[in-house]
Amino acid sequence: MEHVPPPAEELALLDRELARLDARRLQLLGRRAWLVAVLRPPVAPLSSPQPGFRPAAAPFAWGPPRQAAPATGARGAQNVLLVLGGLLLAVAAIAFTLFSWGEMGIAGRSAVLTAVTAGALVAPAPLLGRRLSSTAEALAAVALVLTVLDAYALHAAVLPDTDGLGFAAASSAVLAVAWAAYGLGLGRLRLPLPAAVVAGQFPLVLWAWYADGPAVAFGWALLVTAAADVAVASRGGRLAVRGAAWSGAAVTGSVALLIGLVTSLTAGGPVAAAGPGALLLAGAVVALSAGWRAGREWAVAGGAVAGGAAVAGVGGVLRTGVPWSWAVVVYLLCGAALSAVVRLRAVPRPVVRGVLGASVAVTGAAVLVVLPVVAAALLGPASPATDVWSGAPEGVRGAVGASVRWPDAGPAPVVLLVSAALLGAVHAARGRAGGPRPGWWAAAGCGALGLGWAGAVVLPVVVDAPYAVAVGVGLLLVAGLSEVAVRWAPDAAAWTALGCALVGAVGAGLLALAAEPATYTVFGALVVLFAGVAVRSRVVAVRSVAAAASVLCALVVAGAAGASLGWGAPRAAVVVLVVPAVTVGLGLRLRPSAVAPTLSPSPPLSRPSSRPLSLSLEIAGAFGALVAVGLSVPDAPYLALVLGLCGVLAAATALRPERRPGAGHLAAGLFVAATWVRLGASGVADPEAYTLPVSVVACGVGFLRRRRDPEASSWVAYGPGLAMTLLPSLLTAWPDPHWPRPLLLGVAALVVTLAGARRRLQAPLVLGGSVLALDALHELAPHVVQVLDALPRWAFPALAGLLLLALGATYEQRLRDARRVRESLGRMR
């Protein structure tokens, strides 16, 4: 048990503890005052301590001792002042040189320039000795500006007759050397050496400009400057020097290579292209040497620039010996030759990757150049100038059209097939090497497959092969790619093959439209080929895409059959519906319940699910049904027939439990639409003929639902069906001057109202009563108008007043009656 002291003893303990805390607080306050006095500088000197005085020892300090914050703003303020001072001196020197120079004699000028420049150049040395580096840097900057002004003043006053460009070239060279020597002499200064690098960019360029040399001379001047920059940057040194050198090398080297490329492309012969080619090759050497000594990323960039420059230089000379259309082949072969760098073990791997990247870029550019030829070969038959079934031409170009200049398109298949061979070699080499296969390996295989197919598509058009041969080649290509898609699945190459097969099927189909036999042959074969892929493939997505393609090709065959029979589009729509009917039957056959379960262990790909395949077939079949509806729109009777047949197909699809909700509603809508179209085509104008069958069916469905679910609302069960007939009939009867329609409508509304009251159903009671009241109002309206015309004008206010008095006297009773009516309606379903 815990001891609890008496109240008096506990009070004494609390008093002692409070006294101890007060003493500790006074001690801490005294220590704090002493620390504040130590940290704060005294205003006056302290008096000497008395003899025998001993300062108390510092008690335990909580946390590390506080340090005074460094004066961070002093250095920044010093730099600002130095920069402003240097700028003011530079402005003063420029103003003196420009405006006051001519007022002094030659001796005075020389003395002033010599004294000021010498002083500015010498002053940084003692300042550096005293560790005033910022001041020394500011004076060094002023000295560099003064040297530039000295050069200008020398040309303006002493050598005015010399050419400005030549003097600028010589001056920039002298200044670059002088600044470099000055920076090396005072190694602690950071500005002179980068300034010397910047000044070194101008001598050769200005000299070439002064000599009025050709564009290649400018290129050589820039390239030599870039090489010097690379040499300076490769030696190391300070970061500012290397940054300035690399920047200068990038700018001057890029401009030099651009000049070489432009002059090489515009050269008219081998001799004219030799100079730019040599410039480009020298640029490749400079870029290669730069990449050899640079870091990893810059080495890759240097290798890429070197490879591109080498291709442009060699290809620019070789392409002058062939027609211009074949120049792309020359550059492609030169780019392919760069792949030999892989076997050079002495070359760093980053540089090798850059050179290979240049080879890939050249190959890609060559392929992009010939892609319009591929598009023309595939989509040329779709041009408006091509007539369907106009007859098979002698050559395939007659069916493709003149969208491109085919005599100049000869290099296209060469470029495509060579590129495919290069990518195939890369793919095969990696496959033989084994090990993990990266993504670019699969991309190389897919690219080889696609480019080989494109070259095979273009080749018959380029050589103007016979029409039958071109159609046969297109079918063979689709068949081969389909086989690849089946055997290589689920590899990436399978998707590439399937995509190429689909595009090739479009091209072959468009080409086959020129002749009737070719249309049946090609599209029939495509139906079989894609159906085979859908059956044999083990990849669900491949099966679905192939099945949809087969259905689309079958739609073309059905449409062609209708055209061969001489039927118009509305009659041919019935033939087109055969294809959706087949897809519905296949969907019923492939429904999941039809697949027998199995207990044998097998991979997931051995028994692919039939649900996606069935869905793709149904979607393609639905598209075929839409096509049939669109074909039959011009003829209303055939449109009604097609809509009714589509309703039958939708009802057949609704036999599947998983499709029942959507397909059932669609079938009902199609049947209603077919009935209405048929009635409209027969000239029936009465709305009841359109709405009454729908209302009967809808009310029957609502009655069945109420039997399953007695709690269902009558508005959901009977409201749509009743409104479908009552409301259009009321709108039609209101302007009708005859009596049969309003009478029949009133009788029908009375029956509906009595049925709603008998069965205590809210929807029939409200709808029937509302329509009955409005119909009665319509019938009584002429008599009411006659009575109102016969009454005097004062009768209307009198009647209104009597009505208001009656309502006011019986307001409470009317309110209770309205409440009872509302409660009665609320209790109804």
Side-chain angles (χ1 to χ4, degrees):
M1 296 179 64
E2 185 178 357
H3 173 68
V4 179
E9 183 178 355
E10 185 177 0
L11 180 61
L13 291 174
L14 293 177
D15 291 337
R16 287 195 297 269
E17 187 66 21
L18 290 174
R20 188 180 299 110
L21 290 176
D22 291 338
R24 179 58 178 167
R25 184 174 182 274
L26 292 175
Q27 182 182 4
L28 292 176
L29 289 175
R31 178 60 180 173
R32 181 182 181 279
W34 181 82
L35 290 174
V36 170
V38 170
L39 294 177
R40 183 180 302 166
V43 179
L46 298 176
S47 58
S48 58
Q50 298 179 0
F53 176 80
R54 177 180 297 176
F60 178 78
W62 296 93
R66 296 178 58 187
Q67 299 180 357
T72 56
R75 178 71 64 181
Q78 179 187 11
N79 292 334
V80 171
L81 293 176
L82 291 174
V83 170
L84 290 177
L87 288 177
L88 291 176
L89 287 177
V91 170
I94 293 173
F96 170 76
T97 304
L98 295 178
F99 301 107
S100 301
W101 183 258
E103 299 177 359
M104 301 177 63
I106 186 65
R109 300 172 187 175
S110 302
V112 170
L113 284 175
T114 302
V116 175
T117 305
L121 291 174
V122 173
L127 292 175
L128 291 174
R130 296 186 178 183
R131 296 182 180 180
L132 299 175
S133 58
S134 299
T135 308
E137 291 286 349
L139 288 178
V142 174
L144 297 182
V145 175
L146 287 175
T147 55
V148 177
L149 297 176
D150 289 342
Y152 169 77
L154 180 63
H155 178 266
V158 181
L159 302 172
D161 297 332
T162 58
D163 186 81
L165 289 175
F167 184 82
S171 299
S172 59
V174 172
L175 289 176
V177 174
W179 290 353
Y182 184 67
L184 293 174
L186 298 177
R188 295 174 59 186
L189 290 178
R190 293 173 292 179
L191 183 61
L193 290 179
V197 174
V198 174
Q201 310 302 312
F202 302 101
L204 293 179
V205 178
L206 294 176
W207 187 262
W209 193 0
Y210 166 71
D212 197 14
V216 177
F218 276 92
W220 279 109
L222 290 167
L223 186 61
V224 172
T225 304
D229 290 333
V230 171
V232 172
S234 301
R235 291 187 58 186
R238 294 176 179 175
L239 179 60
V241 178
R242 287 186 283 112
W246 282 122
S247 301
V251 174
T252 56
S254 300
V255 177
L257 293 179
L258 182 60
I259 293 174
L261 179 61
V262 172
T263 53
S264 177
L265 292 175
T266 56
V271 178
L279 175 62
L280 289 170
L281 289 177
V285 173
V286 173
L288 188 63
S289 62
W292 205 292
R293 297 178 176 86
R296 182 174 181 179
E297 292 78 8
W298 293 107
V300 174
V305 173
V311 170
V314 177
V317 177
L318 296 179
R319 63 95 188 162
T320 58
V322 298
W324 178 253
S325 59
W326 286 86
V328 62
V329 179
V330 174
Y331 286 108
L332 175 63
L333 295 177
C334 293
L338 292 178
S339 59
V341 75
V342 178
R343 300 183 179 275
L344 301 178
R345 301 297 180 184
V347 182
R349 293 297 96 185
V351 176
V352 171
R353 283 194 289 272
V355 175
L356 291 179
S359 177
V360 173
V362 172
T363 304
V367 171
L368 289 177
V369 169
V370 300
L371 275 184
V373 180
V374 180
L378 288 172
L379 304 178
S383 61
T386 304
D387 295 331
V388 178
W389 290 2
S390 59
E394 294 182 359
V396 69
R397 291 184 187 175
V400 171
S403 55
V404 297
R405 296 184 58 185
W406 293 108
D408 296 335
V414 178
V415 169
L416 294 170
L417 294 177
V418 170
S419 302
L422 292 175
L423 293 177
V426 172
H427 184 81
R430 183 68 186 183
R432 290 193 300 269
R437 298 174 177 177
W440 61 262
W441 179 85
C446 296
L449 184 61
L451 293 177
W453 162 77
V457 167
V458 173
L459 184 60
V461 186
V462 171
V463 301
D464 197 12
Y467 176 76
V469 174
V471 172
V473 170
L475 276 179
L476 289 177
L477 288 175
V478 175
L481 292 170
S482 301
E483 187 65 22
V484 172
V486 172
R487 291 184 177 273
W488 287 12
D491 198 353
W495 287 106
T496 304
L498 182 61
C500 293
L502 294 174
V503 178
V506 173
L510 292 175
L511 190 63
L513 292 177
E516 183 176 358
T519 302
Y520 285 107
T521 302
V522 170
F523 282 99
L526 292 177
V527 171
V528 175
L529 287 175
F530 287 122
V533 173
V535 172
R536 296 169 56 199
S537 178
R538 294 184 177 182
V539 180
V540 174
V542 173
R543 298 180 72 200
S544 301
V545 173
S550 179
V551 172
L552 295 179
C553 294
L555 289 174
V556 177
V557 174
S564 298
L565 294 174
W567 295 349
R571 296 183 66 184
V574 180
V575 181
V576 173
L577 279 180
V578 174
V579 178
V582 174
T583 60
V584 170
L586 290 175
L588 292 173
R589 180 69 178 84
L590 295 174
R591 65 183 186 272
S593 59
V595 180
T598 178
L599 298 178
S600 59
S602 58
L605 293 177
S606 61
R607 287 181 177 85
S609 174
S610 61
R611 188 184 300 273
L613 178 60
S614 174
L615 180 61
S616 64
L617 285 173
E618 292 172 356
I619 293 175
F623 175 76
L626 287 177
V627 172
V629 171
L631 292 174
S632 61
V633 165
D635 194 330
Y638 275 102
L639 177 59
L641 176 60
V642 170
L643 289 174
L645 294 176
C646 291
V648 172
L649 296 179
T653 305
L655 296 176
R656 301 173 57 183
E658 69 276 8
R659 300 284 189 264
R660 186 165 298 162
H665 291 89
L666 179 61
L670 289 172
F671 284 134
V672 171
T675 304
W676 288 357
V677 171
R678 180 67 259 183
L679 291 173
S682 301
V684 177
D686 295 329
E688 291 80 8
Y690 295 87
T691 60
L692 189 57
V694 179
S695 296
V696 172
V697 175
C699 291
V701 173
F703 176 74
L704 295 177
R705 178 172 182 179
R706 289 270 302 173
R707 290 187 60 182
R708 289 199 314 268
D709 184 13
E711 297 298 324
S713 174
S714 63
W715 288 102
V716 177
Y718 302 112
L722 294 175
M724 178 66 69
T725 297
L726 292 177
L727 297 181
S729 298
L730 179 62
L731 294 176
T732 306
W734 193 265
D736 191 354
H738 304 288
W739 62 269
R741 183 186 297 274
L743 178 61
L744 294 176
L745 178 60
V747 172
L750 179 60
V751 172
V752 171
T753 304
L754 294 177
R758 175 70 178 83
R759 305 294 299 179
R760 299 185 60 80
L761 298 175
Q762 190 178 110
L765 180 62
V766 173
L767 286 175
S770 302
V771 172
L772 181 61
L774 292 174
D775 187 65
L777 179 62
H778 169 265
E779 292 302 313
L780 293 176
H783 305 287
V784 173
V785 171
Q786 293 178 2
V787 171
L788 292 178
D789 290 338
L791 291 176
R793 293 187 177 182
W794 55 264
F796 296 103
L799 291 175
L802 291 175
L803 179 62
L804 292 177
L805 288 175
L807 290 176
T810 60
Y811 176 75
E812 295 295 336
Q813 182 63 32
R814 301 286 79 77
L815 188 62
R816 286 193 296 270
D817 294 342
R819 189 178 295 112
R820 283 196 298 269
V821 171
R822 187 185 64 182
E823 293 175 354
S824 299
L825 286 175
R827 286 193 296 269
M828 293 182 179
R829 301 299 299 176

